[in-house]
Amino acid sequence: MPAVTVDNILALPRIPMPDATAVPRPVRSVTTAPTGYEGEGFPVRRAFAGLDMASLDPFIHMDQMGEVNYAPGEPKGTPWHPHRGFETVTYMIDGIMEHKDSHGGGGVIGGGDTQWMTAGGGILHIEAPPEHLVLSGGLFHGVQLWVNLPRENKMAHPRYQDITGSRVALASSLDGGALVRVIAGEIAGMQGPGSTYTPIALSHSTIAPGAALTLPWNREFNALIYVLAGEGTVGAEKRPIRMGQTALFGRGDTIEMSASTAGESLEVFVLGGKPIREPVAMAGPFVMNTKSEVLQAFEDYQAGRLGVPVE
């Protein structure tokens, strides 16, 4: 699981020890993601299954895509499909994904890269492995997160942020046992490159076997950890957690996690944000505030007002 790596982790800025008065966030729940298939058949784990929307706000949905090692001819993508009212954040860990949209945008996302697409008022797009990867097969692994937009930004003009792995902010734990990659928001004074409509923080951390990591966390944010690989514990109570599980935390100042002493590193996607606290009406690829707005989105899509597929 390469994503972004460094030659000398001890040369990075260090995450300081929490203040003596800092309150560790308690673990409210640990849930296991069910498996399923997306698009034309690539395997996913539904990271937020079993969690209520109020606990997730401002997040809507998250899939772990893979990890799967495709044989030649097997890699699959998604067909053309619409979105309105939210943002998709696609973070590639291994493999390559190409994308293009009905506005003429497009690009390639490789290992360690993030594509941040604000669907806003509406867009059609397609995501698929490049032809050479379909022919050769290979490793494919990533995360796609849906971030809600506040009411006043639901119909914003669509935009992209192509965040290459070289732009993420990097830090290490005090002892060098954990590498933290900040994709968006601020964590321990490190500012990620992603620009957001609602205050959030996103990061991917690698914790070496037997090592621990404590992250300071904004008290106004909720907090979740999803395990991409490995096993370990979360919270001051040392709650066991493993690949494919999500930990939801209560209020406090810090998030604690540690990797098991044996086996592989613990790979975690850590995220949280300031809740929007607005009504959510969601159906398929549309996330709006009311049922009538969702019905309007379907009508606009069927009428071609969200754009048309392009070659």
Side-chain angles (χ1 to χ4, degrees):
M1 187 177 293
V4 177
T5 59
V6 294
D7 293 329
N8 182 11
I9 193 171
L10 296 177
L12 297 176
R14 308 294 178 87
I15 295 172
M17 289 287 290
D19 187 271
T21 61
V23 177
R25 287 183 175 239
V27 179
R28 286 176 49 191
S29 67
V30 173
T31 53
T32 302
T35 58
Y37 292 90
E38 188 59 55
E40 296 173 340
F42 61 82
V44 297
R45 288 183 172 89
R46 308 292 190 190
F48 292 162
L51 296 170
D52 65 273
M53 295 296 291
S55 297
L56 296 172
D57 186 11
F59 307 114
I60 297 292
H61 170 83
M62 191 169 84
D63 280 342
Q64 180 182 10
M65 306 180 294
E67 182 176 13
V68 58
N69 200 351
Y70 283 120
E74 285 187 342
K76 299 175 176 67
T78 67
W80 283 95
H81 59 282
H83 290 304
R84 172 181 280 180
F86 66 104
E87 302 179 288
T88 64
V89 180
T90 305
Y91 173 58
M92 291 299 297
I93 299 168
D94 285 299
I96 304 171
M97 181 76 82
E98 291 182 336
H99 66 95
K100 56 183 176 180
D101 68 49
S102 53
H103 288 221
V108 177
I109 322 166
D113 298 340
T114 301
Q115 178 224 66
W116 200 299
M117 185 184 81
T118 302
I123 198 168
L124 265 63
H125 79 145
I126 186 171
E127 300 160 302
E131 185 176 353
H132 70 84
L133 184 60
V134 174
L135 293 174
S136 67
L139 195 59
F140 180 87
H141 191 197
V143 173
Q144 185 169 95
L145 172 70
W146 291 12
V147 183
N148 198 10
L149 286 170
R151 189 191 305 270
E152 65 267 24
N153 302 123
K154 287 286 187 190
M155 300 298 286
H157 187 74
R159 70 172 185 179
Y160 281 107
Q161 299 174 69
D162 288 316
I163 303 169
T164 60
S166 62
R167 293 178 56 204
V168 300
L170 300 175
S172 81
S173 56
L174 279 176
D175 64 0
L179 171 64
V180 179
R181 310 163 185 86
V182 184
I183 299 167
E186 183 269 331
I187 299 175
M190 305 297 298
Q191 185 69 45
S195 173
T196 69
Y197 282 92
T198 297
I200 64 174
L202 303 179
S203 68
H204 170 202
S205 294
T206 301
I207 307 169
L213 174 64
T214 298
L215 293 177
W217 208 252
N218 190 323
R219 288 189 67 92
E220 294 186 338
F221 288 9
N222 57 9
L224 301 112
I225 287 178
Y226 178 76
V227 180
L228 297 162
E231 59 182 37
T233 66
V234 288
E237 57 268 56
K238 304 293 184 184
R239 185 89 172 259
I241 197 167
R242 56 178 169 76
M243 185 188 74
Q245 292 188 320
T246 301
L248 171 67
F249 291 82
R251 295 184 62 81
D253 302 300
T254 61
I255 304 173
E256 298 183 10
M257 62 208 89
S258 61
S260 296
T261 55
E264 60 185 331
S265 296
L266 180 67
E267 302 279 353
V268 291
F269 199 66
V270 185
L271 65 162
K274 186 175 182 179
I276 297 173
R277 295 194 175 93
E278 292 177 352
V280 175
M282 177 179 173
F286 306 124
V287 182
M288 306 302 292
N289 294 116
T290 66
K291 181 179 178 180
S292 63
E293 290 171 342
V294 171
L295 293 174
Q296 183 64 53
F298 276 107
E299 181 180 318
D300 289 346
Y301 166 55
Q302 291 163 358
R305 289 190 282 269
L306 302 190
V308 295
V310 295
E311 292 300 325

